[in-house]
Amino acid sequence: MADYIVEMRHITKRFPGIVANKDVTIQIKKGEIYAILGENGAGKSTLMSMLFGMYEPDEGEIYIRGKKEIISSPRYATQLNIGMVHQHFKLVSNYTIAENIIMGIEPVKKALGIFPYVDIKGANEKIARLSRQYGLEVDPKKVISDINVSVQQRVEILKMLYREAEILIFDEPTALLTPQEIEFLLKIIKGLRDGGKTIILITHKLEEIKKVADRCAILRRGELIDVLDVQSTSTKEMASKMVGREVSFTLDKTPAKFRDVVLDVKDLTVTNEDKFQVVKNVSFSVHGGEIFAIAGVSGNGQVEIADAIAGLMKANSGQILLNGKDITEYSIRKRTLEGIAYIPEDRQTYGLILDFTLEDNLALKNYFKEPFSRKGILNKKEFETYGEKLIQEYDVRSGQGNRTQVRSMSGGNQQKAIIAREIQQDTPLLIFVQPTRGLDIGAIENIHKQILAERDKGKAILLISLELDEIMNLADTIGVIYNGQIQKIADASTLTTKEVGQFMMGVKNENDKDGREVKD
């Protein structure tokens, strides 16, 4: 028993309409990186939420350092030196980094030996030292709303370390990070392990598991399928155990057959709330039957281009033409009706209404049309039939089917629901922003096939992704953006990954005056 720092024995957890975990037993050694691998909705996060005290198991027992524990709250988990970084961060946006880290365990001093006050100066100094010690440098005085996602993640890790956690749970830690940030985080995780911490890594990304994990438990539909030694197991074997079938790592992609121009963007300029130009005189066109991908490091204006085309941001100058019609001043709904489907980067803020049911979310683009409504009266039977059809066709997994509140679904299944709804609109233009973020390998394979199928039907596809491999595999044409400007537009078959990476960093082709090769 003493060989394991964490044992979860015969754990079962039920929610309405679903068994999230069924008789799961895992044993984790001190000082190892133990990965929990599984599809979206396989029960990974639920299992670890019980270890962190957010849920209690319906059946089974948890042992920490050989002692049986009833972990009834995150506070008690913290007392057991267990910490957790959640997929969606738990930070107060208008507090500083230090205020978030010390929340609940504020260091108190007394002025004049009588009046208590929070020693924020001392906290700032301690957090700065801690961040340097672990290679997680942050400025403790910065406000959360002013820092990017990767720094926010550092704050979540520092929260655990400040509380002297020895067992660190990371839930999908790389879902929101760029490739460069992922590499940095994996180094940090290895460093924490080498420093004696025990790491539990919830993920579905096989290449990350291969880089850092010692052992890996595979869950499928709530059940433990196998526990594997990572170094002696191939990613192909992991993938097939995870999804229950053989998974193809290559795309069967036929040559594109370009049709007429569907989207024409001319000299588009967009400014943000701070009046800063985030998109600068960008021009490109997308044909029917073409996947046009915009590659770039996060924060270089690619998402703002998509938002401006969809109507979420206003174009300061330039034109957006859809099938030859100027839609630059159209409302979002008018653009949708004109023929734009949009899968946004932030699925929870812009893609879904979290407190609505799944069937209501799937009908958001149609509820005002017949047969979903007539003379302002909703036809709920049509909502139900339509929802069931999409759930089945796109393998959207939810505890109570149509009636499931979307907030309770896994992030990956939320994403599947958005993609199902948007593809079903059958529009001439589909905009995919980070379409496979947070999805497992089986779901990624299916989404890539769906994107190619839409292209082969003659749809124009605008793809924006931080995954360079995804762009290289899917794109017919690649536009590379840097600092709000398009550096290069070229046939995807003429570019190497290295060349695209160089343009993403602002390196221009010496033979190209403006670094751009524009298609006819």
Side-chain angles (χ1 to χ4, degrees), residues 378-396:
L378 298 178
N379 179 356
K380 292 300 285 182
K381 184 66 181 170
E382 188 63 33
F383 279 56
E384 188 179 333
T385 304
Y386 186 72
E388 286 172 356
K389 174 176 177 280
L390 266 59
I391 287 167
Q392 188 166 357
E393 279 185 27
Y394 293 86
D395 188 30
V396 183

Side-chain angles (χ1 to χ4, degrees), residues 90-103:
K90 310 290 186 185
L91 298 170
V92 181
S93 61
N94 59 341
Y95 279 22
T96 67
I97 288 174
E99 287 166 345
N100 271 274
I101 289 172
I102 66 174
M103 196 182 301

Side-chain angles (χ1 to χ4, degrees), residues 362-381:
L362 291 172
L364 278 176
K365 295 290 181 79
N366 298 318
Y367 72 91
F368 54 92
K369 308 176 193 170
E370 291 191 3
F372 294 89
S373 66
R374 185 167 295 159
K375 295 181 179 177
I377 299 172
L378 298 178
N379 179 356
K380 292 300 285 182
K381 184 66 181 170

